[in-house]
Amino acid sequence: QKEVEQNSGPLSVPEGAIASLNCTYSDRGSQSFFWYRQYSGKSPELIMFIYSNGDKEDGRFTAQLNKASQYVSLLIRDSQPSDSATYLCAVNQFYFGTGTSLTVIP
Amino acid sequence: GAVVSQHPSWVICKSGTSVKIECRSLDFQATTMFWYRQFPKQSLMLMATSNEGSKATYEQGVEKDKFLINHASLTLSTLTVTSAHPEDSSFYICSEIGGGGTEAFFGQGTRLTVV
């Protein structure tokens, strides 16, 4: 399977801060990139996807893609305790990283 | 978005028995569905692609004779774990790709424990 790497964390940020999640991938030909949120014992739910280099914003979330560096990130602004979860990066829909555990401290 | 119903949500079985997991697409005719396995604190690993009316496509390292996949209709795919052993204990999740071809919609997942 294609390699998708994420820092497993845990990442802790205070409420209201910006959380930054990073992901690198090995297949230079990858075309689509997804960020999912997964609560413990639950299935993943899509946060957003990005196909083109640059930034894509959706509410408090911003995905950033740099294909030359084979790097995709997710920024969460004004982090809330309810954002505490594991965030999975996926490449080409099917290949997932191990996830980064995020804890937002009230 | 698509709604995918997966059951059972959890199952405990004895070593050596077989377990069937069902995945239903409730509002979308899914010609293709995907089966994943997730061990604790690890990522989702794609096991196989289930194709309606034809054989499933298995990822490298996944035993097709152990993990039997059937996709007999456009709304139902099943995964049968045959002769289950404790090392098969895991979280199994199915998904389908929505009509827009981008987003994956996941079932609720099945927690399998083999004792």
Side-chain angles (χ1 to χ4, degrees):
Chain A
Q1 291 199 1
K2 314 299 183 184
E3 289 191 5
V4 182
E5 301 285 344
Q6 290 181 258
N7 186 331
S8 62
L11 174 67
S12 295
V13 300
E15 184 174 357
I18 295 175
S20 178
L21 306 164
N22 304 315
C23 174
T24 59
Y25 58 94
S26 63
D27 182 8
R28 186 170 288 278
S30 299
Q31 296 295 316
S32 56
F33 307 87
F34 301 80
W35 282 100
Y36 289 86
R37 177 173 60 197
Q38 185 178 27
Y39 294 108
S40 181
K42 303 295 184 181
S43 290
E45 52 186 5
L46 181 69
I47 297 174
M48 61 192 308
F49 58 86
I50 185 168
Y51 294 159
S52 304
N53 278 328
D55 295 358
K56 180 180 179 183
E57 185 174 318
D58 183 1
R60 297 187 294 115
F61 300 95
T62 298
Q64 300 174 318
L65 174 62
N66 184 326
K67 290 186 177 181
S69 300
Q70 296 174 234
Y71 174 93
V72 59
S73 66
L74 179 70
L75 299 178
I76 307 174
R77 290 181 298 281
D78 188 24
S79 296
Q80 302 297 309
S82 58
D83 294 327
S84 298
T86 296
Y87 289 80
L88 302 173
C89 169
V91 173
N92 293 344
Q93 294 175 333
F94 307 121
Y95 303 106
F96 287 77
T98 53
T100 298
S101 175
L102 171 67
T103 300
V104 180
I105 303 168
Chain B
V3 178
V4 180
S5 176
Q6 181 177 348
H7 71 92
S9 57
W10 61 270
V11 57
I12 301 173
C13 71
K14 291 184 177 180
S15 185
T17 62
S18 296
V19 173
K20 179 184 285 188
I21 302 170
E22 293 189 349
C23 185
R24 291 182 183 275
S25 176
L26 299 184
D27 62 349
F28 179 70
Q29 291 188 329
T31 56
T32 304
M33 300 183 86
F34 305 91
W35 288 95
Y36 295 84
R37 179 170 53 184
Q38 186 178 34
F39 292 108
K41 299 201 179 296
Q42 294 190 24
S43 185
L44 277 73
M45 296 296 292
L46 181 65
M47 299 175 66
T49 302
S50 170
N51 303 298
E52 188 268 336
S54 65
K55 291 182 179 180
T57 304
Y58 290 82
E59 294 295 302
Q60 188 174 7
V62 178
E63 300 174 60
K64 62 180 181 180
D65 294 331
K66 181 171 182 64
F67 298 99
L68 301 179
I69 290 174
N70 183 281
H71 196 153
S73 75
L74 287 171
T75 59
L76 176 64
S77 176
T78 62
L79 167 68
T80 301
V81 183
T82 63
S83 186
H85 291 283
E87 58 265 31
D88 298 322
S89 299
S90 187
F91 191 51
Y92 293 85
I93 312 174
C94 65
S95 79
E96 66 181 25
I97 304 299
T102 54
E103 182 175 355
F105 295 92
F106 290 89
Q108 299 92 326
T110 299
R111 173 72 60 190
L112 170 64
T113 302
V114 184
V115 298

